[in-house]
Amino acid sequence: MMSRLLFTSLFVGALALAGGCAKSEPPNTSDGADSPASTAADADSQHASAAMPESGVDYHSLANTGDYRVQHLDLDLTVDFERKVLEGEAVLQVERLTDENPPLVLDTRDLEIEQVKAGQGGDMAPVKFRLGEKDSHLGTPLEIQLPPEATSVSIAYRTSPGASGVQWLEPRQTAGKKHPFLFTQAQPTHARSFVPLQDSPQVRITYKATIRTPKALRAVMSANNDPKAEKDGVYEFEMPQPIPSYLIALAVGDLEFKPMGERTGVYAEKVLLDAAAKEFEDTESMLEATEKVYGPYRWDRYDLLILPPSFPFGGMENPRLSFITPTVIAGDKSLVALIAHELAHSWSGNLVTNASWRDLWLNEGFTTYLTNRIMQLIYGDERYRMEMALGYDDLQADLADRPDKDEIMAIDLRGRDPDEAFSNIPYEKGSLFLYELEQKVGRENFDRFLLNYFNHFSFQSITTEDFLAYLEKTLLKQYPDKLDAARVRQWIYEPGIPEGAPHPMSDAFSKLDPVRQQWLDGKIRAGDIDTQGWTFHQWKYFLDGMPEKLSAEQLRELDAAFGLTESKNNEVAFSWLMIAVRNDYQPAYARLESFLTGIGRNKFVRPLYRAMVETGKKDEAARIFENAKAGYHPLTVKVNSRVIYGDEQG
């Protein structure tokens, strides 16, 4: 695989014993200090090593990447809104890695394959192919018989209307209400539902695409978009830097563009364009500040695409064009940490990528750490401390709700849906681990380490063990009196947070604790609390710190004093609605239903549906879900069907 490092030191050998074999998988990360229990933990890890997944093996791809590697993709697709399919041709340029001539195996999911050709260059002829047995998590392998000298493969195909990585929206489901909308979401393993390819983050490719659309609509991709391109129904794209398949992205809609800076701008439907550009106007400053610390931005432009509210995530770091939920347009820049996060992925995730979904923490832990640093650079120390403290609280909540096996950064996902890797473990535990390294070696030294790390592994996909080998040759060698290899292994290969780990806190939060308690004790009225100048972070902390049960009178008092049911900040509204569900606060239920039917972001809808089920409101949850799911993304439907109807995992 790309960027495979040789483990020659005793330290790395120990790491391989603790975490797997000679390769690596996607973990979660946290941070820790020297722990007296580390020796026993190491022994347990080594004892369990035989059962660990093999490092560097992607258990979520059916492609035979050891025999062939796709180097380049040419797409020519027609967008058919009536049939809800993408139809056309994918041409793959393939590198042979063996002298033998085995079949080429590609990943697909619910694709209709019409014809396959193979040959050299443009000289191709039809060849035999077959679709194998379908796997619920992995899709269906496409096996192609190649002529001995073939290096090009052409596949004529169409997608399924229910493709897991494609959402088709009716005009009524968009902001403008006049035209349909299409967007893709490929992470982690959904690219195979709209392109036949080697759908593994280990495989990095360049691509070109021709997208054919209705003439009233504009197509954009994770490539070199031209906002001045005429709306003539044919759009040409090129991505010259090699990227993993999960970063291939397409959207088609009634889109307009507005610049925010020399290298930054926003695409959105007209009704959202000005508000989005104003909300995210600091993006150029974020880009410049990040470059000064972590090295040059390598992707030419950084633009944003504002999607309809059904988008299942906060954002997706598609290179050159991050996909963003409209739920973060709050009017006061209170939620722009999401933009910082997606921008940070331009270094951690897109430039240096996890080699498998076991190694997800290498993407998300690094990016969460960088997000906090960017927020500090642009908005100051207090905002930084609040963001850090909220992240720590989110991590604690996840740790309290997960089995030990899912608290491990190098998580074992064999036989499981890779979507289950996404939790606060790879994000916040990973970030906390890096924060501890920073605290121990000093910020300036750690910044230098990260800069060199991004340069060293640029445009490569790496494993947890690749990172550890690099850490051994750098920080662990430079600071043997401050860093401990056993402590590092504990962070990555053990559940929980090591004893003595940093605990980020904020004075802006700690002063709210006695105020909340005084109100709970009846010593002050809600209306007497001075909330002038509170940030969204303080509101969230104040609400999330409430006890599980509040009286009907307390709920009415809070709502009357602060108008929480009608809050326009989606994060605040979510925290309040969780309280309302737990306490059966009926005056908030109309807002709850409109919230669940108007937003498809799983960060919000999944916990709310789950809380409804757990508090005996399963029938009501099912009713709302059935009304809402036509506007949800397939991933949102899948996840919340489990929550409501059973078989929820993680």
Side-chain angles (χ1 to χ4, degrees):
M1 66 175 282
M2 300 180 70
S3 78
R4 184 66 53 81
L5 297 181
L6 296 177
F7 300 139
T8 56
S9 70
L10 292 174
F11 170 80
V12 179
L15 290 174
L17 286 172
C21 300
K23 309 175 186 176
S24 91
E25 283 195 322
N28 294 326
T29 278
S30 169
D31 127 357
D34 299 328
S35 168
S38 61
T39 302
D42 293 344
D44 290 342
S45 295
Q46 294 178 18
H47 178 72
S49 64
M52 290 293 289
E54 188 178 3
S55 169
V57 173
D58 186 351
Y59 292 97
H60 295 97
S61 172
L62 297 167
N64 56 338
T65 55
D67 297 322
Y68 300 95
R69 280 294 173 106
V70 175
Q71 302 292 313
H72 179 79
L73 166 68
D74 284 292
L75 278 176
D76 191 323
L77 295 176
T78 296
V79 180
D80 189 331
F81 279 98
E82 288 190 8
R83 293 188 298 157
K84 293 184 171 55
V85 299
L86 299 172
E87 185 171 19
E89 179 186 40
V91 179
L92 309 177
Q93 303 301 324
V94 179
E95 178 187 9
R96 291 174 174 270
L97 304 180
T98 175
D99 293 334
E100 301 175 0
N101 192 47
L104 169 66
V105 182
L106 301 177
D107 291 301
T108 76
R109 179 181 289 127
D110 299 327
L111 297 182
E112 183 177 337
I113 309 299
E114 294 185 341
Q115 185 181 54
V116 179
K117 297 179 180 180
Q120 289 183 304
D123 183 17
M124 291 190 282
V127 295
K128 292 182 179 180
F129 68 91
R130 63 179 292 272
L131 288 167
E133 184 177 349
K134 182 177 181 178
D135 180 275
S136 59
H137 296 323
L138 306 182
T140 305
L142 171 60
E143 185 178 291
I144 301 170
Q145 301 294 330
L146 295 183
E149 303 302 320
T151 56
S152 296
V153 180
S154 168
I155 304 163
Y157 72 99
R158 69 173 58 89
T159 63
S160 162
S164 64
V166 185
Q167 184 166 19
W168 302 86
L169 297 174
E170 301 293 337
R172 61 181 173 81
Q173 297 171 306
T174 68
K177 310 297 183 186
K178 294 182 180 179
H179 297 280
F181 202 107
L182 153 75
F183 67 88
T184 65
Q185 170 58 37
Q187 191 182 38
T189 57
H190 302 287
R192 65 192 69 178
S193 74
F194 57 93
V195 185
L197 76 180
Q198 294 177 323
D199 195 11
S200 169
Q202 297 177 9
V203 180
R204 304 180 72 100
I205 61 172
T206 56
Y207 79 83
K208 292 183 179 180
T210 299
I211 306 296
R212 306 174 192 277
T213 74
K215 289 189 176 181
L217 305 182
R218 179 179 299 279
V220 291
M221 294 193 75
S222 54
N224 61 333
N225 296 283
D226 179 7
K228 298 179 181 179
E230 182 182 353
K231 286 187 176 180
D232 60 1
V234 180
Y235 297 90
E236 304 284 345
F237 301 96
E238 181 178 6
M239 169 49 77
Q241 292 96 349
I243 61 171
S245 55
Y246 75 87
L247 294 177
I248 298 173
L250 166 67
V252 179
D254 185 17
L255 298 170
E256 297 188 9
F257 176 81
K258 188 170 186 176
M260 296 186 297
E262 183 179 348
R263 289 177 290 173
T264 59
V266 59
Y267 291 88
E269 293 181 80
K270 185 175 182 179
V271 68
L272 295 174
L273 188 62
D274 289 342
K278 178 63 177 176
E279 191 83 1
F280 308 134
E281 64 185 356
D282 296 333
T283 304
E284 188 86 24
S285 297
M286 291 180 180
L287 179 75
E288 293 171 350
T290 310
E291 284 186 307
K292 289 179 181 178
V293 182
Y294 300 116
Y297 179 76
R298 316 273 189 108
W299 305 93
D300 188 26
R301 288 192 58 83
Y302 182 72
D303 295 321
L304 308 176
L305 169 66
I306 310 304
L307 289 172
S310 59
F311 185 52
F313 305 111
M316 180 61 209
E317 63 270 19
N318 302 311
R320 298 177 180 240
L321 186 68
S322 286
F323 284 19
I324 304 296
T325 173
T327 64
V328 295
I329 303 176
D332 59 2
K333 302 182 182 180
S334 59
L335 305 180
V336 297
L338 177 77
I339 306 302
H341 185 91
E342 305 312 329
L343 171 64
H345 268 302
S346 302
W347 285 263
S348 51
N350 298 1
L351 187 64
V352 183
T353 305
N354 52 228
S356 76
W357 299 111
R358 169 185 178 252
D359 307 301
L360 178 63
W361 77 273
L362 292 174
N363 278 21
E364 299 298 352
F366 278 73
T367 295
T368 302
Y369 174 86
L370 261 63
T371 300
N372 293 327
R373 292 294 309 281
I374 294 170
M375 295 301 289
Q376 183 179 28
L377 291 168
I378 302 301
Y379 300 108
D381 292 345
E382 184 172 283
R383 180 79 172 261
Y384 166 73
R385 286 190 290 268
M386 288 192 292
E387 300 277 359
M388 290 275 288
L390 286 178
Y392 185 86
D393 289 347
D394 287 343
L395 174 59
Q396 292 297 324
D398 242 14
L399 290 171
D401 196 41
R402 290 185 172 270
D404 285 356
K405 66 184 178 68
D406 289 347
E407 295 178 5
I408 295 171
M409 287 163 57
I411 184 173
D412 185 355
L413 290 169
R414 287 173 296 177
R416 301 173 65 185
D417 189 329
D419 284 328
E420 295 177 31
F422 291 81
S423 72
N424 280 308
I425 307 304
Y427 288 74
E428 296 294 346
K429 186 179 176 184
S431 175
L432 194 61
F433 165 62
L434 299 178
Y435 181 60
E436 177 173 285
L437 295 181
E438 175 212 300
Q439 293 289 295
K440 291 197 172 191
V441 305
R443 172 167 287 185
E444 183 177 344
N445 295 327
F446 192 63
D447 281 345
R448 187 180 306 111
F449 165 79
L450 288 178
L451 173 64
N452 293 335
Y453 167 81
F454 293 136
N455 287 332
H456 183 79
F457 290 113
S458 62
F459 298 107
Q460 297 182 57
S461 299
I462 69 170
T463 68
T464 294
E465 286 69 31
D466 290 339
F467 164 76
L468 291 171
Y470 184 75
L471 188 71
E472 187 271 340
K473 292 189 294 186
T474 54
L475 291 184
L476 283 161
K477 183 177 181 180
Q478 296 162 5
Y479 303 100
D481 57 330
K482 297 180 179 180
L483 298 178
D484 178 72
R487 173 78 168 182
V488 171
R489 294 197 297 274
Q490 183 182 5
W491 267 111
I492 293 173
Y493 297 117
E494 298 294 331
I497 300 176
E499 182 180 353
H503 181 175
M505 302 178 72
S506 167
D507 292 341
F509 290 161
S510 58
K511 68 183 181 183
L512 299 183
D513 292 327
V515 174
R516 186 197 302 110
Q517 192 59 50
Q518 287 174 356
W519 176 76
L520 289 168
D521 293 340
K523 296 178 180 178
I524 59 173
R525 301 289 296 173
D528 296 330
I529 300 174
D530 182 10
T531 61
Q532 187 173 0
W534 277 21
T535 66
F536 120 78
H537 311 80
Q538 290 167 299
W539 278 110
K540 181 174 173 58
Y541 181 83
F542 179 74
L543 293 173
D544 289 351
M546 291 290 177
E548 284 287 311
K549 294 299 180 182
L550 294 173
S551 70
E553 181 182 350
Q554 287 174 315
L555 292 163
R556 287 193 296 269
E557 183 183 342
L558 282 174
D559 204 6
F562 305 127
L564 294 169
T565 296
E566 302 306 320
S567 174
K568 302 303 181 186
N569 185 297
N570 286 301
E571 290 279 0
V572 174
F574 166 71
S575 292
W576 172 245
L577 291 173
M578 286 292 290
I579 292 173
V581 170
R582 289 198 303 264
N583 292 277
D584 197 25
Y585 180 59
Q586 291 292 325
Y589 273 42
R591 176 67 196 285
L592 172 66
E593 183 164 354
S594 66
F595 191 86
L596 287 170
T597 55
I599 290 175
R601 187 177 176 187
N602 269 319
K603 174 184 178 181
F604 296 145
V605 300
R606 181 176 184 250
L608 285 168
Y609 280 129
R610 183 179 178 185
M612 293 180 75
V613 171
E614 291 176 346
T615 54
K617 306 175 186 68
K618 180 177 179 179
D619 290 345
E620 182 70 1
R623 181 188 67 79
I624 295 174
F625 176 71
E626 292 300 326
N627 289 336
K629 72 178 185 180
Y632 285 160
H633 188 277
L635 300 179
T636 306
V637 173
K638 179 182 74 172
V639 167
N640 291 286
S641 292
R642 290 177 179 173
V643 171
I644 296 169
Y645 301 117
D647 192 33
E648 181 189 11
Q649 301 179 29

